[in-house]
Each structure stands twice: as C-alpha cells, then as structure tokens.
C-alpha cells in the first residue's frame, strides 16, 4: 500500500472563513489519522496560534511552522528541527532593512519554547500596532517593543518579519536577497491588504521541511494543498499539488487540481477521497 504524506497550508486553505478548523474538517482529519493517514500542516504561523487551532484535531505528525523554520509538537508543546538564522548574517540583514527604511519584528527562541519578539520602534504604524495588539495575550509568544534583542539571544533568531505595502516589501526583499544568503519570502496576507516579508535561515521553506518529513516517515507520495504564493515551493516538490478554489490565479495555474473553496471543507474531503481510493 502506498504511504502518502498529506500536507495542507492553513490560512485560506484548511481554515474556514473564521480562520478556524471547522467541526467537519476536524472530525474527518481525526478519523483519517485514526485509520492510519499521515497528515500535517505547513504554515507561516508560529506555535502561538497553531497550538490552539490544532488542539481539537488529532494528527500523528508534528506541524511544520514558520514556513518550515521548525516543527512544532502539539502534544508536548516543544520545537524540533529548528533552523536558526546564522549569527554572521545578522549585520547584513539589519543593514539591508535599515537601507530600505523598514523596521522588522525579530523572532528569537527563548526559554521554555517561548518566542521572544522584538521591535525597536515604539512608534509603529497602525497595521503593526494591530498585529501586536491582537497577539499580546498569546502564551507562546512575548512581545518586546522598543528594544533590540539582548546579547544572550544571539544564535537564536528564527525569523525577521515585516509587513507593509507591496512595493516597499518587494524592494526590501530585493535588497535583502542581494545582501544576505538568507531565505527571503514575500506574499500577500490572507486577511488584509498588507504584504508580508519574511527572512529565514538559508534554505528554509515549506518544501524543504516537507522533503525531510517525507524521508523521515518513509512516504512514497506527497500530496499538498495551498492557496498563496508561499505555497508554490511545496507544490513544486509534491507528487500531487492541489489548490482551493479561492487560491490566487498564479497558484491555481501551477496546481495539478483545483478543488472547492476553503469555506466548504474541501481539503479534508479531498484527503478523505484520496486516502480511501
């Protein structure tokens, strides 16, 4: 019997219009897991929100979080397979952001698997302030506004993240790509008009993390589900790439199949059909 690894993006793909896993999707995935299916998610989200979103659904594999920078084990609430940004890249990254006039959020892994998030500018724009205010309550993420990471956090940076207009983010991405060896990812946020710019350790991507997981479990086939630009790399390495009907046009064009929208439990129903075929 063919062993298939099913991997789904979360926002705009597995999650519904309320940015949650519906009861039907949760039930189907749990039943498939109990029947032996290998299912996980690959998301740009951090464990701070992934933990709660996945808590009612049973998976046998850890979640691929932060666009592949780490795995998150929801049962034990610990990171594994973490890819840290090399410390010798910090100066070039910081200089590139400064030249572009962009102040990023810096994500560093602290004690107790808590993400410490730093932003040196107290005078954030409204979108940045909203981003922070909506996440201040999260127990797995702590914001440090108006300060830079302390020296003891060196070698622990996992992500430098910025948000803003498309032209600014694209220009900043080009500066970062020319000045550093790091992985630079840019895409439009699923819920706002803002564009997201992420800087990770060299080679970090959903695709790379999925490839390692495929080898680890000995899967014969990989089926992925997505909707956004940052899903394109994992679609390229998949044996079958499937997108929801609400996916961006260029993402649809790269897919093997298009299914129903994320509001109709389309991903879970597709997994069910493929697993039982």
């Amino acid at each position: 019997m063919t062993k298939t690894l099913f991997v789904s993006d979360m926002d705009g793909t597995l999650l519904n219009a309320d940015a949650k896993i519906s009861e039907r999707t949760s039930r189907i995935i749990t039943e498939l897991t109990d029947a032996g299916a290998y299912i996980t998610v690959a998301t740009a989200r951090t464990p701070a929100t992934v933990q709660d979103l996945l808590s009612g659904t049973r998976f046998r594999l850890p979640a691929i979080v932060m666009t592949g920078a780490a795995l998150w084990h929801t049962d034990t609430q610990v990171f594994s397979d973490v890819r840290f940004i090399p410390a010798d890249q910090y100066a070039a990254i910081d200089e590139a952001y400064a030249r572009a006039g962009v102040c990023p959020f810096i994500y560093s892994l602290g004690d107790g698997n808590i993400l410490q998030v730093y932003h040196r500018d107290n005078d954030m724009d409204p979108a940045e302030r909203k981003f922070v205010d909506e996440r201040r309550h999260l127990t797995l993420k702590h914001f440090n506004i108006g300060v830079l990471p302390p020296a003891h956090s060196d070698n622990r940076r996992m992500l430098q993240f910025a948000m803003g207009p498309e032209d600014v983010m694209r220009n900043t991405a080009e500066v970062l790509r020319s000045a550093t060896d790091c992985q630079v990812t840019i895409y439009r946020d699923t819920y706002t008009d803002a564009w997201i710019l992420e800087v990770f350790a060299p080679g970090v991507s959903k695709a790379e993390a999925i490839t390692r997981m495929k080898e680890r479990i000995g899967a014969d086939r990989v089926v992925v589900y997505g909707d956004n630009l940052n899903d394109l790399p994992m679609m390229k390495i998949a044996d079958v790439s499937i997108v929801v009907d609400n996916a961006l046009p260029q993402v649809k064009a790269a897919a093997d199949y298009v299914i129903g929208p994320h509001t109709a439990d389309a991903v879970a129903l597709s997994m069910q059909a493929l697993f039982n075929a």
Side-chain angles (χ1 to χ4, degrees):
M1 180 178 179
T2 300
K3 180 186 285 189
T4 300
L5 171 60
F6 294 97
V7 185
S8 179
D9 170 57
M10 292 186 70
D11 294 281
T13 306
L14 187 67
L15 304 186
N16 61 20
D18 296 322
K20 298 181 183 299
I21 294 180
S22 75
E23 290 185 8
R24 181 163 69 155
T25 285
S26 179
R27 175 178 53 79
I28 291 172
I29 290 177
T30 296
E31 290 174 352
L32 289 173
T33 297
D34 291 344
Y38 289 86
I39 302 172
T40 191
V41 297
T43 179
R45 286 177 176 264
T46 72
T49 55
V50 169
Q51 181 65 34
D52 287 342
L53 287 169
L54 300 187
S55 62
T57 307
R58 191 149 52 249
F59 296 86
R60 67 193 304 176
L61 297 172
I64 297 169
V65 296
M66 301 176 73
T67 314
L71 301 181
W72 177 254
H73 300 258
T74 56
D75 52 349
T76 56
Q77 296 191 31
V78 297
F79 282 101
S80 69
D81 208 11
V82 180
R83 300 307 201 245
F84 292 109
I85 297 172
D88 62 10
Q89 294 286 300
Y90 291 177
I93 295 170
D94 294 343
E95 182 180 349
Y97 270 117
R99 279 176 23 218
V102 174
C103 182
F105 291 93
I106 299 173
Y107 286 64
S108 177
L109 183 56
D111 295 336
N113 289 291
I114 305 298
L115 284 172
Q116 297 291 337
V117 186
Y118 300 89
H119 192 285
R120 64 172 173 77
D121 192 355
N122 276 308
D123 188 24
M124 294 182 289
D125 67 30
E128 291 172 326
R129 178 61 62 184
K130 183 174 184 289
F131 174 82
V132 172
D133 289 344
E134 289 178 347
R135 291 161 176 79
R136 282 191 183 276
H137 68 285
L138 298 172
T139 58
L140 295 173
K141 180 187 293 185
H142 181 261
F143 286 93
N144 305 272
I145 306 302
V147 296
L148 290 172
H152 67 72
S153 69
D154 283 352
N155 304 314
R156 303 285 286 177
R157 294 188 190 184
M158 295 176 65
L159 162 67
Q160 296 204 194
F161 157 87
M163 59 195 304
E166 180 179 4
D167 59 338
V168 175
M169 293 298 99
R170 287 197 181 279
N171 291 338
T172 306
E174 290 306 309
V175 173
L176 285 159
R177 287 179 179 133
S178 64
T180 77
D181 297 324
C182 291
Q183 181 70 34
V184 179
T185 302
I186 181 171
Y187 57 97
R188 190 178 65 189
D189 181 61
T190 301
Y191 306 106
T192 70
D193 292 331
W195 279 72
I196 305 299
L197 171 62
E198 300 170 328
V199 179
F200 296 101
V204 164
S205 69
K206 291 181 179 181
E208 194 241 0
I210 291 168
T211 299
R212 294 198 308 274
M213 185 172 287
K214 176 187 178 183
E215 294 173 352
R216 189 177 298 121
I217 69 172
D220 305 300
R221 180 177 70 157
V222 174
V223 178
V224 303
Y225 298 84
D227 76 307
N228 210 333
L229 298 177
N230 63 335
D231 297 320
L232 289 172
M234 72 174 184
M235 291 168 60
K236 289 179 181 178
I237 60 94
D239 297 289
V240 182
S241 61
I242 302 173
V243 299
V244 286
D245 192 49
N246 51 283
L248 294 177
Q250 56 267 56
V251 181
K252 281 185 175 180
D256 295 318
Y257 301 100
V258 178
I259 55 175
H262 70 118
T263 53
D265 302 301
V267 170
L269 291 170
S270 170
M271 289 178 179
Q272 186 180 55
L274 290 172
F275 183 76
N276 292 324

